[in-house]
Amino acid sequence: MAQVSSSNKNAAPALATAPDAAPRIDTHEVVDDAALQGLVGYHMRRVTNLVQADLARVLKDLDLRIITMSVLVVIVDHPGLRQSQLADALSIERPNLVSILDELESRGLVLRTRVPTDRRAYALTPTRAGERLAERALEAADEHERKFFGDLDAKERAQLLSLLGRVRDAAGA
């Protein structure tokens, strides 16, 4: 076997042979997240991942995404609102909102009309098809929430919503 000269710049670095040079890896060790269990944000993220994945699955049957459902529902609840009001209500960047509205408009779910007093602004109104789809989406979302939060009684659910609202408010969102 040929020896590699230590002066050869293209040679691979020598592997460490000292026992303490590399961590001991026990492939049978149980790996857990115990160090993260005391972090509220960690639990919130884990639950959010589960809740959103299931809601996305439910809404896929209606050909909606979570964001398109949210936009549609707010438009149905506030017909005639301006795009800027909608962006503020849902904390969506205005350029991102345009593509979402394009999608909903192309599907015949919402209408954009110029505001007569401000030609730069658009008023958003749902179509009848948009109203029906929003209603079906909310029913599906309610059922989805019963699946995830059904073990909470009404008082616990109200408390959870209140606490999450306080966290959101404290963050300035």
Side-chain angles (χ1 to χ4, degrees), residues 3-161:
Q3 278 191 327
V4 176
S5 166
S6 62
S7 63
N8 183 348
K9 293 179 182 178
N10 295 326
L15 295 176
T17 56
D20 61 342
R24 180 181 64 81
I25 298 173
D26 180 356
T27 57
H28 302 292
E29 178 183 355
V30 175
V31 177
D32 63 28
D33 60 355
L36 303 169
Q37 288 296 312
L39 301 173
V40 174
Y42 176 71
H43 286 279
M44 289 176 66
R45 183 65 183 161
R46 296 280 307 258
V47 170
T48 297
N49 288 344
L50 294 169
V51 170
Q52 286 188 331
D54 189 68
L55 182 56
R57 179 192 59 76
V58 167
L59 293 176
K60 188 174 183 176
D61 293 342
L62 299 173
D63 197 21
L64 288 172
R65 294 174 289 129
I66 295 170
I67 190 65
T68 52
M69 180 202 80
S70 300
V71 167
L72 181 60
V73 166
V74 172
I75 293 169
V76 167
D77 281 351
H78 303 279
L81 82 162
R82 295 176 186 212
Q83 286 182 204
S84 58
Q85 292 172 301
L86 178 61
D88 291 343
L90 294 175
S91 298
I92 300 173
E93 295 291 328
R94 288 184 175 117
N96 297 338
L97 181 58
V98 171
S99 62
I100 295 166
L101 291 171
D102 287 346
E103 176 186 339
L104 294 173
E105 188 176 39
S106 72
R107 292 179 57 191
L109 301 172
V110 300
L111 299 172
R112 281 187 275 204
T113 55
R114 292 248 185 230
V115 175
T117 57
D118 183 354
R119 297 179 68 154
R120 296 170 297 163
Y122 287 95
L124 304 168
T125 54
T127 63
R128 183 66 188 123
E131 291 170 347
R132 285 192 305 266
L133 185 57
E135 185 178 330
R136 290 175 53 211
L138 283 174
E139 288 170 1
D142 283 342
E143 185 170 323
H144 151 82
E145 289 219 341
R146 280 192 295 279
K147 172 183 171 184
F148 273 87
F149 304 108
D151 286 347
L152 301 178
D153 63 34
K155 183 178 178 182
E156 290 169 326
R157 187 172 172 157
Q159 183 179 21
L160 177 59
L161 289 171

